[in-house]
Every structure is written in C-alpha cells, then in structure tokens.
Amino acid sequence: MISVEDAQNSILDLIRPMGRERVGLLDCPGRVLAEDVQSPRPVPPWNNSAMDGYALRAEDVRGASRETPRALRVIEEIQAGVVAKRTLGPGEAIKIMTGAPIPDGADAVVLVEETERISDDEVHIFLAVREGEAIRLAGEDVQPGETVLSHGTRLGPASAGMLANIGRARVYVYQKPKVAILATGEELVDLGDSPGVGQIYNSNSYALAAQVLEAGGEPVLLGIARDNAEDLTRHINDGLAADLLITSGGVSVGDFDLVKSTLGGLGNDMRFWRVRMKPGKPMAFGVLSGKPVFGLPGNPVSTMVSFELFVRPSLLKMQGYENLFRPSVEARLLHPLTKSPERRHYVRSVAYRDGDEWAVQAIEAQGSNILHSMVRANSLVVFPEYESELAAGSRVQVILLGETPSQKPEHLEMSTPERVHS
Ligand code: AMP
Ligand code: MG
C-alpha cells in the first residue's frame, strides 16, 4: 500500500500535457494558454480624453476658479472615434468626449462640470489644471510588443477582454482531455431502466462525468460493463479511444472484482493498486496503450474522493495547469474525531469562515456508500494516517472542494456530533 503523495507523484510523473488547438474568444474561458501573446499595438493607440470636457492648454487656465473663470474660444467639437481637424492654439478649446484622441496643441482636459458654455464659440473654464490632466496616454495599458498573457495562464473574463483589446480573435490553448467513464457491476442499471431486485442505479458514471466537466475535461460515458472479462474487455477497448480511462468498481478483492485482471490481460502496465487512504483504498493506476487508466473503487464516495485526489490533478496537468491541487487551509476542528491508525482519512466536512479563522465540522455519516455526505460536504478534513484521535479545538488541514460560507451554516447547529468516527 502506498501513501497518497507517492500515488499522486507516481501518476503525475506519467501524465503529459495535451496538444494545443486554436479557439475563439468565446471558447477560451477556463482554458490554459499554450502560447505567449504579444500585442502588435499600443493600447490605447493614442493619447485620449479620460472624460467629457474641453481639451485646452493648461497654461491658458492658470488661476481659473468659479470666481475668476478663463474664457476660451471653442473651435471644434469631437466625439470618440473622431480626430480633430484643427490644431489647438493659445486661448482655444475643443469640446471633447471620453475616448476621443487629444487634439494637437492641447495638453489637458477640463471636465465639463467645471465649465460653462457661454455661446457657440465661447466657454468659461472654472478650474486650473496641470499639463496631462484627464489625458490617458498612448500605451498606458499595453506597450507594442509587450507580452500581455503568458503561456500557462488560465484564461478568464479579463483575459478574453485583453485579447480583444489587442485585436486577437483566436488563441492557442491546451486541448480538453476526453475522459472515458466505465461503470462495472452486475447489479447496476442505467437511468431510464427500473432496478429489479438486488439492482441499483449506476450513479458513479454521472458523478464522475460531472467531476470531469468541472475539471475541464470532456466525459464520454461508456455505460456499464458486467463482471466478466469479455464484457469488460470490450468496454475497456472502447475507452482507449479517449485520452484517459476511468473505471469504477470491481477493483477490490471480491470474487467478481475483475477489472485489474482484465486490464492486465490487455497489457496494462499497473503501477499500484492500493493507497493508504479512506475512503478509497483500492485504486488501480496503470498505463494501457499509452493511456492512463484509473481503476477507481466502486463505493460512490470512494469513487468521488479518489477522483478528487488523483484524476482531477491529472486532468489539470493535461490541460497545462500549474496549480494542480485544490486550496487547503488550516481550520479549527469543532469536535473530537477518532479513527483507527494507519490509513489517512479524508473526512467529509463543512468548513466555513469564523471571524479571522476557519472552522470545520465533520458530516455525521461517513460511510463510503453515503453519497449524502458528499452532497453536504464542501471540504475534506485530512486526518493523518498514523493518528487516531483529533481533539476538539485542534488545528487540522482542510481541503476546500467548493464554495465556503462566510459564517456558520444554520443546519450545522442541529447535527453537532459529540464525537465523529470516521
Ligand atoms: P465493487 O468494488 O464493485 O464491489 O463496488 C463496491 C460498492 O459500490 C458496491 O456496493 C457497488 O454496488 C457499488 N457500486 C459500484 N459501482 C457503482 C456505480 N456505478 N454506481 C453506484 N454504486 C456502485
Ligand atoms: Mg462490482
């Protein structure tokens, strides 16, 4: 049995980033940039007005105030997108709108609220300004040739705006990995069929597909393979068309746990198959026909936690991410936790901000079949392998899986457990 870290390292050593593809800006959010993007032009392209007002020479309005306005001759009016025809001379002003290029000869803008138009060709200025006032300089945002976004950047709304800002309509990003998902088990029926006696719905495929989507991959559902080598072989072969294959179930020590042996028969190079953790000890990782294959455990919570710890970082690495792991924080445990030593437990929990610190409380039902614990949880307390007791109030490491409330959620009050066995 190997540690979680050894398992993660062994997997990530083998995972390679995908190739790249070009996408339009509407498809870029969430993708990782696979090129350095330089701007061919300055942004803004020319000096322009930061506000609606009058372009003028600072020198001409020295000492201006409400009591002692300066009178200037209005020689032109320009809106954004229009270049002034005239060069501004002493004693002159050009009415200007936000974004319009600063006319030659002008060196400042006074905002319109600090002026009064006396007639068509005369304006009174009530404010003295310095040279450069209310002028946005060419290249202030982006210099020509500047790298505005570098390789490895995760693209978001601001990046999309920046790409458009410099006129780039398409960029190279890492491809999304296609992830084949195979459920295994005689007892499973898929949605749309009714479970007979002894049968249950296949839930793992859907939880995994959602996890794949959330991690930026493209899930490909392979359906359900029955617990025999032939059916497993057929489905696994289908899965090898994808970039990565996930199976769930059939990977433990039961009489019908045939996933490992079937993969082995196909030539899978198995790296390990048990990890010192709970939930999710049986977890077979190998490489088959050059594709990473994850044999995840069948219990729904084990499946999801194993995905979190091993598959998600792999998918992120394939997409060019640098940060492969969820954020983790130190939190105050609200109650004692006990377990038997030797395996590390990932305790489904609710973490929330409590003033300046984090507090965390375990969900009461920790069974690896209790999917409800995952529905309620927003975090996992890391209960170290060789410890068996965590006291109330102790500081624990917590992996944050999703949104965390900024105060204690109401429903937690009712279910405060005296002691949670995980
Ligand atoms: P196994 O490792 O195949 O024995 O599966 C362990 C447990 O997980 C059994 O109770 C299975 O019924 C359950 N299980 C396996 N696969 C799925 C699935 N796709 N959806 C829901 N439960 C499953
Ligand atoms: Mg099974």
Side-chain angles (χ1 to χ4, degrees):
M1 233 183 330
I2 69 173
S3 72
V4 171
E5 281 73 24
D6 286 348
Q8 284 172 331
N9 290 336
S10 148
I11 293 166
L12 291 171
D13 274 353
L14 281 163
I15 299 287
R16 296 279 159 264
M18 303 278 297
R20 48 183 216 163
E21 63 178 345
R22 270 181 118 177
V23 295
L25 298 197
L26 292 181
D27 294 318
C28 79
R31 310 293 292 272
V32 178
L33 197 59
E35 61 171 324
D36 286 329
V37 176
Q38 273 105 16
S39 176
R41 54 176 63 84
V43 182
W46 10 255
N47 296 350
N48 67 94
S49 180
M51 48 187 66
D52 299 327
Y54 286 87
L56 42 72
R57 293 153 23 108
E59 198 187 323
D60 290 347
V61 295
R62 203 160 287 150
S65 69
R66 291 267 161 195
E67 294 71 39
T68 57
R70 297 287 181 266
L72 298 178
R73 200 154 54 81
V74 180
I75 58 168
E76 201 178 336
E77 301 197 347
I78 53 169
Q79 63 188 105
V82 174
V83 178
K85 294 184 197 69
R86 312 270 302 269
T87 296
L88 190 132
E92 292 177 342
I94 289 180
K95 191 168 193 198
I96 193 166
M97 306 303 148
T98 306
I102 299 295
D104 289 341
D107 60 21
V109 172
V110 172
L111 80 158
V112 73
E113 289 90 330
E114 298 292 344
T115 68
E116 188 182 345
R117 190 70 170 259
I118 301 303
S119 66
D120 266 2
D121 55 6
E122 195 180 12
V123 62
H124 282 182
I125 308 291
F126 302 133
L127 189 68
V129 288
R130 281 174 309 198
E131 281 184 22
E133 185 75 27
I135 292 181
R136 303 190 290 209
L137 296 176
E140 176 174 277
D141 187 3
V142 178
Q143 291 286 319
E146 180 182 335
T147 300
V148 290
L149 294 168
S150 30
H151 192 135
T153 303
R154 189 182 174 198
L155 301 174
S159 326
M162 177 55 84
L163 290 166
N165 203 24
I166 64 163
R168 269 295 282 271
R170 291 159 70 74
V171 280
Y172 279 107
V173 295
Y174 287 95
Q175 286 166 4
K176 285 169 174 276
K178 288 195 177 54
V179 180
I181 297 170
L182 176 61
T184 73
E186 290 302 318
E187 75 281 27
L188 303 177
V189 297
D190 230 323
L191 296 178
D193 294 335
S194 344
V197 179
Q199 293 186 312
I200 58 171
Y201 282 118
N202 163 22
S203 66
N204 287 348
S205 292
Y206 299 93
L208 285 169
Q211 287 182 299
V212 167
L213 283 169
E214 204 196 42
E218 281 180 11
V220 181
L221 264 58
L222 299 177
I224 301 164
R226 298 305 167 195
D227 290 326
N228 63 71
E230 200 187 341
D231 203 34
L232 279 166
T233 300
R234 190 167 59 79
H235 282 92
I236 289 166
N237 279 329
D238 288 349
L240 293 175
D243 300 304
L244 185 148
L245 169 63
I246 304 175
T247 66
S248 73
V251 79
S252 192
V253 290
D255 291 349
F256 298 97
D257 289 340
L258 303 175
V259 169
K260 288 195 304 290
S261 58
T262 307
L263 283 167
L266 289 168
N268 181 45
D269 174 11
M270 177 119 81
R271 298 305 171 108
F272 59 83
W273 77 274
R274 278 183 310 171
V275 184
R276 204 154 57 231
M277 63 182 273
K278 184 179 171 181
K281 174 174 71 172
M283 214 284 286
F285 174 73
V287 179
L288 176 55
S289 304
K291 306 290 170 72
V293 179
F294 292 80
L296 303 187
N299 275 307
V301 176
S302 312
T303 312
M304 291 190 73
V305 171
S306 305
F307 180 97
E308 263 300 326
L309 295 175
F310 305 110
V311 188
R312 185 175 181 276
S314 304
L315 294 181
L316 297 189
K317 184 169 181 188
M318 291 168 89
Q319 293 167 88
Y321 280 71
E322 275 163 23
N323 285 340
L324 304 183
F325 297 102
R326 298 269 195 191
S328 77
V329 296
E330 197 187 273
R332 184 168 46 86
L333 183 64
L334 293 173
H335 51 80
L337 265 181
T338 58
K339 72 165 173 64
S340 55
E342 287 179 9
R343 274 200 278 161
R344 181 185 301 176
H345 286 203
Y346 288 90
V347 183
R348 274 77 68 215
S349 56
V350 177
Y352 61 93
R353 291 294 295 175
D354 187 15
D356 289 343
E357 58 170 12
W358 287 93
V360 67
Q361 178 174 316
I363 307 275
E364 275 190 85
Q366 291 286 329
S368 59
N369 58 327
I370 309 285
L371 204 41
H372 230 109
S373 68
M374 286 304 282
V375 173
R376 294 216 180 98
N378 66 5
S379 55
L380 299 169
V381 171
V382 183
F383 196 158
E385 32 268 70
Y386 299 111
E387 289 185 33
S388 53
E389 186 135 13
L390 293 173
S394 57
R395 306 268 142 198
V396 293
Q397 191 205 340
V398 178
I399 300 172
L400 302 179
L401 300 176
E403 280 171 33
T404 46
S406 55
Q407 58 189 33
K408 185 167 191 163
E410 273 165 30
H411 72 267
L412 276 191
E413 212 69 73
M414 297 145 50
S415 64
T416 303
E418 271 303 290
R419 200 173 187 80
V420 174
H421 299 274
S422 78

